[in-house]
Amino acid sequence: SVGFFFFMYSGLEIFFNIQVKCYHEIITIGYRVYHSYDLPWFRSLSWYFLLCVNYFFYGETVADYFATFVQRREQLQFLIRYHRFISFALYLTGFCMFVLSLVKKHYRLQFYMFAWTHVTLLITVTQSHLVIQNLFEGMIWFLVPISSVICNDIAAYIFGFFFGRTPLIKLSPKKTWEGFIGGFFSTVVFGFIFSYFLAQHQYFVCPVEYNSETNRFVTECEPSELFQMKKYSVPPLLQAVLGWETVNMYPFQMHSFALSTFASLIGPFGGFFASGFKRAFKIKDFADTIPGHGGIMDRFDCQYLMATFVHVYITSFIRGPNPSKLLKQLLILQPEQQLSVYKTLKSHLVEKGILQPSLRG
């Protein structure tokens, strides 16, 4: 528990630092390409908008996962209650500052950079927020996707190096169909096996929740059906090959197939997009932060795309009603509102025959 507490905070700090560095790399490219050296307030406004957007997203996270903690702090109650209004007011301040900074001879260039800043915020900050949301659903939703992307990169390189003959896409001349296909099968196998080992431990599968009594994150729960071993029938065609009629596995391993497929077939397009972006502006790398490997953004171009898919996948196919979050929201209500909810719920349960009409609350 202490180890996870340390991992959680250090992980959030690492994500924030990576996000800031990626943002800096992309903004700097725009600054150099468009020769924006004489634009008034450009750099100051770029960093101001970054702070505004981070304030909004981190505030949303605090309101969602730390509701009971916030309820005990009057100062935080005000900030959370009016969080979106405050965030919008902060953004409007930056917007007005931008309008006031417009100079006649630089109109077009200033609007170019204004759009550049907002697209960069969409690419970096929004995706970073989704990574954190995935992490709160359980570490397995973070570790399997990020490891699958890394596995695909390595496997595609190895297969391409030894067997590559057929070019895949003009944007990346070194990419081959042999590497692409080899990376796909390797990633699917890796994701299936890696998921099996992670699914055995509560530490990795339980959603992250904040315990207000101990003032710390906890990962203790009764694992959902996704992480409970089940017996499946082997398709007749595979029975002759494998010699098995049934197989025991975790349902999450079936979902890992979808994650691995996306990481290996669609994820690389994040890299292709980055390659096209760099070719458009005639640069080799986003930066020289990592000697011989370019910038941070060069290493995370596929990870951002993967994070968005995982979040959409969870909300579309996995996440259901969360009693814990519902209870936290009820505890924030006023006493009379809580009583009204109680009476409505009791009436509903009586109508369904779960409670006896004579039962007194």
Side-chain angles (χ1 to χ4, degrees):
S1 181
V2 175
F4 181 82
F5 186 78
F6 173 78
F7 173 84
M8 194 70 189
Y9 276 100
S10 60
L12 292 177
E13 183 179 353
I14 292 172
F15 285 137
F16 181 76
N17 290 332
I18 291 174
Q19 172 210 118
V20 170
K21 188 58 184 174
C22 290
Y23 181 81
H24 175 257
E25 290 176 358
I26 300 177
I27 286 293
T28 300
I29 291 174
Y31 188 73
R32 292 173 179 171
V33 169
Y34 288 110
H35 304 288
S36 311
Y37 307 109
D38 299 324
L39 292 186
W41 301 0
F42 167 63
R43 284 205 164 184
S44 299
L45 283 175
S46 296
W47 289 106
Y48 176 79
F49 281 125
L50 176 65
L51 291 174
C52 289
V53 176
N54 269 296
Y55 175 81
F56 170 74
F57 280 122
Y58 277 98
E60 292 288 303
T61 300
V62 170
D64 195 18
Y65 293 98
F66 297 84
T68 53
F69 173 79
V70 171
Q71 190 65 16
R72 298 179 180 181
R73 306 291 193 279
E74 293 186 6
Q75 306 92 327
L76 293 179
Q77 285 183 31
F78 174 83
L79 292 176
I80 294 300
R81 182 174 182 179
Y82 301 104
H83 170 67
R84 295 190 176 182
F85 180 82
I86 295 172
S87 300
F88 184 61
L90 290 173
Y91 177 81
L92 280 181
T93 301
F95 179 82
C96 293
M97 290 172 63
F98 167 75
V99 174
L100 293 174
S101 72
L102 291 173
V103 179
K104 187 174 182 180
K105 62 179 181 179
H106 292 311
Y107 282 162
R108 181 176 295 182
L109 181 56
Q110 285 180 287
F111 278 102
Y112 278 157
M113 298 314 300
F114 184 76
W116 186 284
T117 299
H118 281 67
V119 171
T120 305
L121 289 171
L122 177 66
I123 293 173
T124 57
V125 183
T126 306
Q127 309 303 320
S128 299
H129 175 69
L130 296 182
V131 170
I132 294 173
Q133 293 290 309
N134 297 340
L135 185 58
F136 273 100
E137 293 295 328
M139 285 180 61
I140 195 169
W141 291 105
F142 168 76
L143 293 175
V144 171
I146 196 173
S147 299
S148 296
V149 171
I150 295 173
C151 174
N152 183 69
D153 284 344
I154 296 174
Y157 173 80
I158 293 174
F159 277 91
F161 182 82
F162 288 103
F163 309 106
R165 296 291 183 274
T166 312
L168 175 63
I169 187 170
K170 291 182 179 180
L171 285 173
S172 297
K174 294 183 180 180
K175 304 290 185 181
T176 64
W177 275 103
E178 291 80 4
F180 188 72
I181 296 172
F184 166 70
F185 286 106
S186 300
T187 304
V188 169
V189 173
F190 168 81
F192 191 83
I193 297 173
F194 190 47
S195 297
Y196 173 79
F197 286 106
L198 293 184
Q200 301 177 42
H201 306 282
Q202 284 190 8
Y203 183 85
F204 296 112
V205 304
C206 290
V208 180
E209 295 185 352
Y210 180 78
N211 190 319
S212 58
E213 296 180 358
T214 59
N215 195 34
R216 63 198 302 180
F217 289 105
V218 294
T219 53
E220 298 175 357
C221 68
E222 180 66 29
S224 68
E225 293 185 358
L226 282 178
F227 308 107
Q228 296 180 12
M229 189 71 74
K230 291 187 177 180
K231 182 179 291 187
Y232 293 90
S233 298
V234 177
L237 291 176
L238 294 178
Q239 288 184 13
V241 178
L242 300 176
W244 303 333
E245 294 184 359
T246 60
V247 61
N248 292 324
M249 57 183 289
Y250 295 100
F252 179 82
Q253 291 178 271
M254 303 297 291
H255 294 287
S256 75
F257 178 78
L259 301 179
S260 299
T261 299
F262 185 91
S264 54
L265 298 185
I266 307 299
F269 281 84
F272 301 152
F273 176 86
S275 296
F277 180 89
K278 288 182 285 187
R279 284 176 176 271
F281 296 103
K282 299 179 180 179
I283 56 176
K284 182 181 179 182
D285 298 308
F286 282 95
D288 56 359
T289 308
I290 308 173
H293 295 277
I296 300 296
M297 192 64 198
D298 290 288
R299 300 298 96 201
F300 282 85
D301 46 12
C302 297
Q303 295 290 0
Y304 279 128
L305 195 61
M306 187 70 195
T308 305
F309 172 73
V310 174
H311 182 77
V312 172
Y313 189 86
I314 292 174
T315 54
S316 301
F317 304 109
I318 304 299
R319 184 185 296 164
N322 190 322
S324 178
K325 287 187 179 181
L326 181 60
L327 181 59
K328 289 178 181 178
Q329 292 175 340
L330 288 174
L331 293 175
I332 298 175
L333 298 177
Q334 297 296 323
E336 57 273 13
Q337 294 174 316
Q338 293 174 341
L339 187 60
S340 176
V341 172
Y342 166 75
K343 291 179 178 179
T344 303
L345 180 61
K346 177 185 175 182
S347 175
H348 176 72
L349 294 176
V350 168
E351 289 179 2
K352 297 187 70 174
I354 298 175
L355 290 180
Q356 296 299 323
S358 58
L359 184 63
R360 294 185 178 181

